[in-house]
């Protein structure tokens, strides 16, 4: 099924994001994780890829595993270090595996890596996929606090409009911790004429290592409520786990109450966290989606 059809059927779409195991690890290393996540009946599971073209092939294998567990996969495809031939090969592989949904990304810049002459922006990739005539649903990334390379949010939204107009059918946001940023962003893109559904990206802060990485990599604003939680429980793994899950559930309930069209949970391959959150919001999703 294409994800755009899921958005037509549901008022609130719920999905997970996972990442493939390291190139040296067996694919089977994530089999159990995927089975546990699939048992929670998400609408789809997205699979990340590294910005270097080589990551895309592992993504395809993991996406196929997701599909074999009865859940729709969304395969991430990056282009910043790939030429048209490499992207075509990735798309052929995905299509050959029966995968119908891709998240078209530029990818993060890797210092020293040769950048593509074919693709400068994710919108170039979207145009390329559409022009190829392949029947993929194409999702795109967006940034409620603005992409870090953009001079300001309005410029970023103007660029986002180019990407959506090129053929994106839904957007997944970068993680954020202050819902007001999401609501402002939602209003701004509506004014810019962007009408595709937007799923809110939520990453529960449940582990010390995630906190360090998330804060340094995403550049997301950290509200005082989270700072207090981190300060108090940073060295207390059990308490941090519970506090992080509670914060994420609170954030999600507010988003769903405010009419968010979907929640995309960055679960960091942790089925326990996914299960706790999925169980907490199950009655709310059931109410919104009519049972
Ligand atoms: P773009 O849409 O190309 O935007 C990048 C920058 O270029 C922005 O500042 C934008 O304003 C500007 N821009 C865009 N179009 C134009 C234009 N036409 N003219 C001028 N400027 C323009 N990275 C990975 O490597 N692998 C992953 O699996 C992955 N998954 C992600 C999933 C989500 C939901 C999100 C939000 C991000 C993900 N990323 C991933 C990170 C992403 O690759 C980076 O944030 C990257 O820096 C930008 O990618 P993009 O597709 O948003 O780029």
């Amino acid at each position: 099924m294409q994800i755009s059809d899921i958005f037509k059927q549901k008022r609130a779409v719920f999905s997970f994001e996972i990442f493939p195991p390291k190139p040296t690890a067996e694919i089977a290393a994530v089999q159990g994780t995927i089975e546990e996540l699939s048992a929670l009946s998400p609408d789809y599971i997205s699979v990340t890829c590294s910005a270097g073209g080589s990551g895309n092939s592992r993504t395809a294998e993991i996406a196929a595993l997701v599909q074999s567990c009865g859940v729709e996969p969304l395969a991430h495809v990056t282009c910043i270090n790939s030429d048209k031939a490499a992207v075509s090969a990735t798309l052929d592989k995905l299509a050959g595996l029966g995968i119908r949904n891709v998240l078209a990304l530029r990818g993060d810049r890797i210092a020293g890596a040769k950048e593509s002459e074919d693709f400068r922006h994710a919108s170039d990739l979207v145009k390329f996929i559409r022009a190829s005539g392949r029947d993929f649903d194409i999702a795109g990334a967006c940034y409620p606090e603005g992409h870090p390379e953009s001079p300001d949010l309005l410029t970023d939204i103007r660029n986002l409009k180019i990407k959506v107009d090129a053929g994106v059918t839904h957007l997944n946001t970068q993680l954020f911790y202050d819902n007001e940023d999401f609501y402002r962003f939602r209003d701004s893109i509506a004014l810019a004429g962007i009408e595709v559904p937007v799923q809110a990206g939520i990453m529960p802060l449940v582990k010390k290592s995630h906190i360090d990485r998330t804060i340094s990599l995403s550049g997301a604003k950290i509200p005082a409520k989270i700072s207090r939680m981190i300060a108090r429980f940073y060295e207390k793994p059990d308490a941090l786990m519970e506090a992080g899950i509670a914060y994420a559930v609170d954030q999600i309930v507010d988003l769903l109450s405010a009419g968010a069209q979907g929640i995309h949970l960055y679960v960091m391959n942790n089925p326990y966290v996914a299960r706790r959150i999925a169980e907490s919001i199950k009655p709310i999703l059931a109410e919104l989606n009519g049972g």
Side-chain angles (χ1 to χ4, degrees), residues 98-248:
I99 291 157
R100 313 272 312 275
N101 303 283
V102 294
L103 175 62
L105 294 152
R106 187 197 72 182
D108 272 326
R109 298 211 143 94
I110 302 175
K114 186 174 178 303
E115 294 201 358
S116 177
E117 286 170 15
D118 293 337
F119 305 102
R120 287 188 60 212
H121 310 292
S123 53
D124 299 328
L125 177 59
V126 178
K127 282 180 206 151
F128 178 74
I129 300 172
R130 285 282 173 242
S132 77
R134 292 177 176 92
D135 186 24
F136 285 113
D137 239 31
I138 309 176
C142 63
Y143 303 82
E145 297 178 61
H147 184 266
E149 288 171 32
S150 259
D152 52 65
L153 187 57
L154 278 185
T155 308
D156 201 30
I157 289 175
R158 251 182 247 128
N159 292 333
L160 181 62
K161 173 98 168 91
I162 296 171
K163 181 159 70 178
V164 171
D165 288 349
V168 161
T169 47
H170 92 266
L171 292 167
N172 281 354
T173 77
Q174 175 64 290
L175 57 90
F176 60 90
Y177 293 100
D178 183 346
N179 288 355
E180 296 308 319
D181 288 324
F182 177 81
Y183 302 138
R184 253 191 308 275
F185 177 72
R186 192 172 59 169
D187 291 347
S188 305
I189 64 171
L191 284 174
I194 295 174
E195 290 173 350
V196 296
V198 183
Q199 252 184 289
I202 301 298
M203 182 183 281
L205 287 175
V206 292
K207 283 191 178 173
K208 216 166 118 162
S209 55
H210 296 168
I211 290 174
D212 298 342
R213 212 177 131 73
T214 304
I215 293 174
S216 66
L217 284 186
S218 73
K221 195 169 81 196
I222 301 298
K225 199 171 163 182
I226 291 218
S227 300
R228 283 192 293 273
M229 178 184 99
I230 295 172
R232 188 78 171 170
F233 303 121
Y234 187 72
E235 298 293 351
K236 312 281 179 205
D238 294 345
L240 184 59
M241 175 66 71
E242 290 308 310
I245 289 173
Y247 190 93

Side-chain angles (χ1 to χ4, degrees), residues 22-77:
K22 291 198 176 80
T24 47
E26 294 290 326
I27 291 277
V30 290
Q31 174 93 38
T33 302
I34 294 172
E35 284 168 7
E36 285 186 65
L37 292 176
S38 301
L40 300 171
S41 306
D43 290 306
Y44 69 88
I45 295 179
S46 82
V47 186
T48 66
C49 66
S50 62
S54 62
N56 288 328
S57 61
R58 231 149 205 221
T59 301
E61 285 172 76
I62 301 296
L65 259 184
V66 169
Q67 189 160 249
S68 71
C69 288
V71 176
E72 202 55 53
L74 169 66
H76 296 201
V77 177

